[in-house]
Amino acid sequence: MNFPVLYLRKGAERRLRAGHLWVYSNEVDIQRSPLTQFEAGTQAELRASNDKPLGVVFVNPHALICGRLISRDAAQGMTPNRLTQRMETALALRDRLFDKPFYRWVFGDSDGLSGLVVDRFGDTVVVQISTAGMEQMKESIVRAVQRLAHPKAIILKNDGKMRSVEGLDAYVEQAHGPEAALLEVEENGVRFEVPLEGGQKTGWFYDHRMNRQRLQAYAPGKRVLDVFSYVGGWGIQAASAGATQVTCVDSSSTAIDSVHHNAKLNGLENVETIEGDAFDALKALAEEKEKYDIVVLDPPAFIPRRRDQKAGEQAYARLNQLGLRLLDRDGILVSASCSMHLSQEKLVDIIRGSGRKIDRFVQLLEQGHQAPDHPIIPGIPETDYIKSCFVRSLTSFM
């Protein structure tokens, strides 16, 4: 295949040689290859400043990440056949890991498919495309899903924030099969139904699957508070595992309705909800002198960009202090984060500082990461984003 050539500035290839797949616009030699000459979604051969071929990239001249490496063979770009092969390789891993078709099938760069996320919900597959290059492969993606999984329905939920960065329109489209208002999920033996319209991301977060499974070991006989509960992923699983009482907190009325729906779906009558801002709800519960055996904090990303680091870390600190205050003697705090820019070590340090701030002796019992259907590429730190800490809080020990 003949590709136009995108040249890098001197030394800019080091990160790529170390295993990364992204090219930033300030790394391009715009004298030799002006970005303005490329159309969004074009495939191009990537070369180092010394003319050595590095592979093939999807190019988007309008984005900060203007190149995404899709092949390290400069003669081989992304074709429908190569796309299908990579999706088949990704599917083989998930089918080996899980006995039922409820998982993240494709996790972008981690599966060699930058800009593509595919989630399975039984007989329904939800596809999310976030880059111009993958948008041009849309029909091939749908055909590959049909060939490999034979689902009843395929939904293109292309309304994520990244699409505007790539200059793409937002839309939700039924690509195959009957329309569905609800997506069915089974996780750790617990059933859920989540709304497609207005739901977050593809509708469900499979990334905390293993951490929610670990919560079940702590839940029997305990009173649990699930903060930023969304549709009840943590709280419903805790209740199903034997928690005596669960309270789910979320600011979305739709999410709160889903919590009640999912509780009934699993025959649970010990789940209640609080609709409102999480910080306000935690403060009100503290003023009412409420206490819980387990508090789960799973907020949205407080550090979406590097420049938000300081404010985000302060928000995590405030949240963890409030959570610790609501724990009864010998309680368990489950503190989670999906902020890529917050390291596991920093989260532990925030919990340590939060404990000292309110005079709590904390013991770190377990640390959790993202489930294996969200594989991490060591050369791409951005693929390592989920972390959780299971912490025991003692009011008096030393």
Side-chain angles (χ1 to χ4, degrees):
M1 299 177 69
N2 293 319
F3 300 106
V5 178
L6 184 70
Y7 288 97
L8 293 179
R9 299 171 64 180
K10 186 176 181 180
E13 74 278 5
R14 293 187 188 124
R15 189 166 39 79
L16 296 169
R17 292 193 187 283
H20 214 296
L21 300 177
W22 298 352
V23 176
Y24 290 94
S25 56
N26 62 0
E27 297 174 325
V28 174
D29 186 340
I30 57 174
Q31 300 301 318
R32 299 179 72 183
S33 54
L35 281 170
T36 52
Q37 74 182 9
F38 296 93
E39 292 186 10
T42 299
Q43 297 187 46
E45 180 187 340
L46 185 67
R47 292 186 189 176
S49 60
N50 61 1
D51 269 340
K52 187 165 184 179
L54 298 171
V56 177
V57 292
F58 277 137
V59 181
N60 189 336
H62 312 299
L64 175 62
I65 303 173
C66 67
R68 294 172 181 269
L69 198 64
I70 52 179
S71 172
R72 292 191 182 271
D73 182 346
Q76 301 292 330
M78 184 62 70
T79 63
N81 185 53
R82 184 161 290 108
L83 173 86
T84 302
Q85 289 175 348
R86 292 188 183 180
M87 291 184 67
E88 187 173 25
T89 299
L91 184 61
L93 171 67
R94 278 67 176 186
D95 282 344
R96 188 192 318 168
L97 293 170
F98 307 111
D99 60 358
K100 293 184 179 181
F102 300 95
Y103 44 66
R104 174 145 294 181
W105 172 358
V106 174
F107 182 44
D109 293 286
S110 293
D111 289 299
L113 294 164
S114 190
L116 178 64
V117 164
V118 181
D119 282 351
R120 283 189 83 175
F121 300 92
D123 289 330
T124 299
V125 173
V126 177
V127 175
Q128 194 161 62
I129 298 169
S130 60
T131 61
M134 276 299 167
E135 183 72 14
Q136 295 196 8
M137 305 290 298
K138 180 173 73 172
E139 292 182 4
S140 298
I141 292 167
V142 172
R143 286 196 298 269
V145 170
Q146 288 176 308
R147 174 186 163 188
L148 296 171
H150 310 291
K152 289 182 179 178
I154 302 173
I155 299 162
L156 299 176
K157 197 169 186 298
N158 293 331
D159 55 359
K161 295 178 182 178
M162 280 298 298
R163 289 184 64 87
S164 61
V165 175
E166 290 273 322
L168 299 172
D169 293 334
Y171 65 90
V172 177
E173 177 183 314
Q174 192 78 28
H176 169 73
E179 293 188 11
L182 292 174
L183 298 171
E184 294 184 3
V185 182
E186 185 175 324
E187 185 179 279
N188 301 323
V190 183
R191 295 175 60 208
F192 295 88
E193 290 181 348
V194 297
L196 178 65
E197 186 176 353
Q200 297 183 23
K201 304 290 186 176
T202 61
W204 182 258
F205 299 97
Y206 283 119
D207 44 19
H208 269 302
R209 176 199 304 257
M210 301 307 189
N211 300 322
R212 288 191 284 257
Q213 185 179 50
R214 285 302 304 142
L215 175 65
Q216 293 182 339
Y218 294 90
K222 304 301 182 183
R223 192 168 183 236
V224 179
L225 178 67
D226 176 10
V227 188
F228 302 99
S229 66
Y230 184 37
V231 299
W234 295 85
I236 298 294
Q237 292 192 41
S240 296
T244 54
Q245 193 261 323
V246 172
T247 301
C248 292
V249 179
D250 201 276
S251 60
S252 165
S253 59
T254 302
I256 291 296
D257 290 342
S258 292
V259 170
H260 291 292
H261 176 78
N262 289 320
K264 291 179 181 177
L265 191 65
N266 289 278
L268 301 170
E269 298 180 353
N270 58 341
V271 178
E272 61 182 35
T273 58
I274 298 173
E275 181 182 337
D277 176 80
F279 286 90
D280 291 341
L282 291 173
K283 290 174 185 175
L285 289 169
E287 290 171 0
E288 295 165 7
K289 301 192 183 305
E290 292 283 355
K291 293 292 181 182
Y292 299 87
D293 301 301
I294 299 173
V295 173
V296 179
L297 307 174
D298 184 17
F302 286 158
I303 314 176
R305 297 158 299 185
R306 186 72 73 179
R307 66 188 183 192
D308 302 314
Q309 191 81 33
K310 184 176 180 181
E313 289 180 4
Q314 290 173 345
Y316 280 112
R318 290 197 305 275
L319 181 65
N320 279 274
Q321 288 173 32
L322 288 166
L324 286 168
R325 287 185 189 280
L326 287 170
L327 283 174
D328 207 346
R329 185 179 307 169
D330 197 21
I332 300 292
L333 176 73
V334 181
S335 181
S337 168
C338 63
S339 290
M340 176 188 69
H341 299 296
L342 184 74
S343 68
Q344 185 89 12
E345 293 75 19
K346 187 58 182 179
L347 177 59
V348 171
D349 190 58
I350 287 172
I351 295 169
R352 176 204 58 78
S354 298
R356 293 306 312 133
K357 184 82 172 179
I358 64 171
D359 198 26
R360 294 292 180 93
F361 182 84
V362 295
Q363 298 172 323
L364 181 59
L365 306 181
E366 300 186 43
Q367 297 183 66
H369 304 274
Q370 61 215 56
D373 53 350
H374 293 67
I376 295 166
I377 302 303
I380 310 177
E382 291 85 356
T383 61
D384 182 5
Y385 71 105
I386 284 289
K387 66 280 299 181
S388 68
C389 296
F390 287 68
V391 176
R392 184 187 185 205
S393 171
L394 299 168
T395 53
S396 60
F397 189 78
M398 296 183 68

